[in-house]
Amino acid sequence: MQESFWQERWARDQIGFHQAQVTPYLRRHWPALQLPADSQVLVPLCGKTLDMCWLAERGHAVLGVELVEKAVQAFFAENGLEPQISQHGAFTCYRADNIELYCGDFFALGAADVARCVAFYDRAALIALPEALRRRYREHLQAILPVTCQGLVITLEYDQTQMDGPPFSVSRTEMEQGFSSWQLEELQREDVLEGNWKFVRHSLTALDEVTYHLRRG
């Protein structure tokens, strides 16, 4: 999956993964992390998700990372924010209030960039990637995050032989093996097949959305 794939999706506004409201699982389960209000939170492959606004409203310093500049610019414009723009290493940095978005390649992110992050939030990053890239994403994420970090991760589970991604299916077994040094707690599992037309038309027999709390250190 090349950079051009996501650039083209955003250019054509083929962004069915973007939600017009804050993710209910975030509202419900974020308090379980028991973070101080001023904690910095990493949001990888963030797009223009409204979840970042919700986190910022809780007092968190939000650090998002997004490859596509159109998505970054749309986030600030659609939320009435006027960002300050600067260069930060390989990234173009957009900042307004307590939200900072790095536009560039997630794999260029280093440990120094996320040294203050005490948590990460992943709703549509892991499931956006095919297996080989998921492995690379997990390895890089764990390599750069502080050892005391924790996270909230939302995945999808379905029979991958019935439909190809994105979004891709990520099983509990893959989560356990891919985050083997973390404590993994399944907070919620919801059957969301009904009403999801993309999955229904592929004749999927089951579709679960799963929320995990990850802790280490």
Side-chain angles (χ1 to χ4, degrees):
M1 184 177 289
Q2 302 297 318
E3 174 182 336
S4 58
F5 174 87
W6 294 109
Q7 297 285 2
E8 185 174 342
R9 289 286 293 266
W10 279 96
R12 296 184 177 185
D13 288 324
Q14 295 176 337
I15 52 172
F17 49 83
H18 175 71
Q19 297 181 336
Q21 64 281 321
V22 175
T23 304
Y25 306 122
L26 174 64
R27 294 181 184 273
R28 185 174 304 128
H29 297 298
W30 190 255
L33 276 65
Q34 298 182 332
L35 300 178
D38 60 352
S39 299
Q40 187 173 45
V41 178
L42 175 66
V43 185
L45 284 61
C46 61
K48 59 175 185 177
T49 177
L50 294 174
D51 293 348
M52 291 189 290
C53 294
W54 188 89
L55 289 167
E57 289 166 0
R58 311 275 84 71
H60 297 316
V62 175
L63 176 59
V65 183
E66 171 55 44
L67 177 67
V68 182
E69 193 158 28
K70 180 180 179 180
V72 174
Q73 293 172 342
F75 171 80
F76 288 100
E78 292 172 12
N79 290 289
L81 299 171
E82 186 67 36
Q84 294 181 333
I85 304 174
S86 61
Q87 199 65 28
H88 179 85
F91 298 94
T92 302
C93 177
Y94 290 71
R95 180 186 301 201
D97 299 330
N98 54 338
I99 298 177
E100 188 173 21
L101 301 191
Y102 285 2
C103 183
D105 184 356
F106 169 77
F107 296 106
L109 201 65
D113 299 316
V114 298
R116 295 194 303 110
C117 290
V118 298
F120 73 96
Y121 170 65
D122 178 340
R123 183 196 72 81
L126 193 63
I127 62 175
L129 305 173
E131 185 176 4
L133 264 181
R134 284 201 303 276
R135 186 181 311 113
R136 185 182 172 203
Y137 165 81
R138 286 192 304 264
E139 290 172 353
H140 187 68
L141 184 69
Q142 294 174 79
I144 63 175
L145 284 174
V147 294
T148 56
C149 203
Q150 56 180 315
L152 193 71
V153 179
I154 301 169
T155 66
L156 288 174
E157 285 189 34
Y158 63 89
D159 185 346
Q160 194 78 76
T161 65
Q162 296 176 343
M163 190 194 85
D164 197 11
F168 294 93
S169 177
V170 179
S171 68
R172 180 181 177 110
T173 298
E174 180 177 334
M175 288 291 294
E176 291 173 339
Q177 293 176 348
F179 291 97
S180 58
S181 63
W182 299 63
Q183 298 176 48
L184 185 73
E185 180 184 4
E186 184 176 310
L187 299 177
Q188 185 172 351
R189 179 179 292 266
E190 287 290 322
D191 179 352
V192 294
L193 181 60
E194 185 176 354
N196 276 281
W197 65 270
K198 174 181 177 179
F199 297 94
V200 170
R201 69 186 175 89
H202 282 86
S203 301
L204 256 65
T205 54
L207 175 66
D208 286 348
E209 207 159 25
V210 189
T211 305
Y212 296 98
H213 181 194
L214 281 70
R215 287 171 290 180
R216 71 176 180 182

